[in-house]
Amino acid sequence: MALFGFGKKKEQAAEQKAAPAMLLKENIKVNCAAMPKEQVIEAVGKMLVDSGYVKADYVDAMKEREKTFSTCMGNCLAMPHGVEAAKKEILHSGIAIMIFPEGVDWDGDTVKVVVGIAGVGEEHLNILANIAGNLESMEDVDKLVAGDADYVYSVLA
């Protein structure tokens, strides 16, 4: 017990877990085999959960968002994220990436790059803009799909 508040900050700091980096290399999966869209969302969501970015319920919110509004952005890119009500499930801002060289059917569109997003507050808008800016052409997307995890990290970290 801290007497007169001395040492209290140290105790509080020990209770708080440090935020992980926005993108961890272990959250980049390249050369993924095609699977149904819902399984892709579950897999990318599980990476966000396992890395401490979100609580498990956030994955359901990602699937819910997809039912009402497709997260396919064109250029073979999808950026699934949770519905607004799921903001309370986000612990830290972060992303997880899956690359599908053969593509995944995303409601009739072909998606090769899937970026699962969790953004605290309004940070998700900055994350979306940054990713879209780095992948604005099909040439950019093709280079990412052909690259290894280190290349993907260098482009999107």
Side-chain angles (χ1 to χ4, degrees):
M1 176 189 255
L3 186 61
F4 302 111
F6 296 113
K8 195 170 191 172
K9 286 184 181 178
K10 189 182 259 187
E11 289 174 10
Q12 289 172 339
E15 290 173 6
Q16 293 178 339
K17 187 176 178 186
M22 181 76 69
L23 175 59
L24 303 171
K25 281 192 182 178
E26 59 263 26
N27 285 346
I28 300 170
K29 307 294 183 204
V30 297
N31 297 317
C32 298
M35 60 182 78
K37 177 180 79 168
E38 185 165 295
Q39 287 181 7
V40 173
I41 294 170
E42 288 173 5
V44 78
K46 184 176 182 333
M47 286 192 281
L48 293 172
V49 171
D50 291 348
S51 298
Y53 296 119
V54 299
K55 297 177 188 173
D57 289 344
Y58 187 76
V59 179
D60 290 332
M62 292 171 77
K63 292 188 278 188
E64 188 62 33
R65 159 87 59 200
E66 206 62 45
K67 289 178 188 173
T68 58
F69 184 80
S70 177
T71 58
C72 179
M73 311 303 239
N75 283 354
C76 296
L77 172 66
M79 295 191 274
H81 53 285
V83 294
E84 189 66 29
K87 289 283 189 186
K88 65 187 181 301
E89 305 300 325
I90 301 172
L91 303 170
H92 306 285
S93 294
I95 61 175
I97 302 164
M98 296 179 76
I99 307 286
F100 297 89
E102 301 303 315
V104 170
D105 177 29
W106 210 272
D107 298 326
D109 291 312
T110 299
V111 167
K112 294 184 176 187
V113 178
V114 177
V115 182
I117 298 174
V120 173
E122 297 303 314
E123 287 183 11
H124 72 285
L125 297 174
N126 292 335
I127 296 168
L128 289 167
N130 182 52
I131 293 166
N134 284 320
L135 300 176
E136 62 187 351
S137 74
M138 263 318 292
E139 183 180 326
D140 296 331
V141 172
D142 289 340
K143 285 180 186 175
L144 201 72
V145 170
D148 61 10
D150 288 331
Y151 178 75
V152 173
Y153 185 83
S154 73
V155 171
L156 297 178

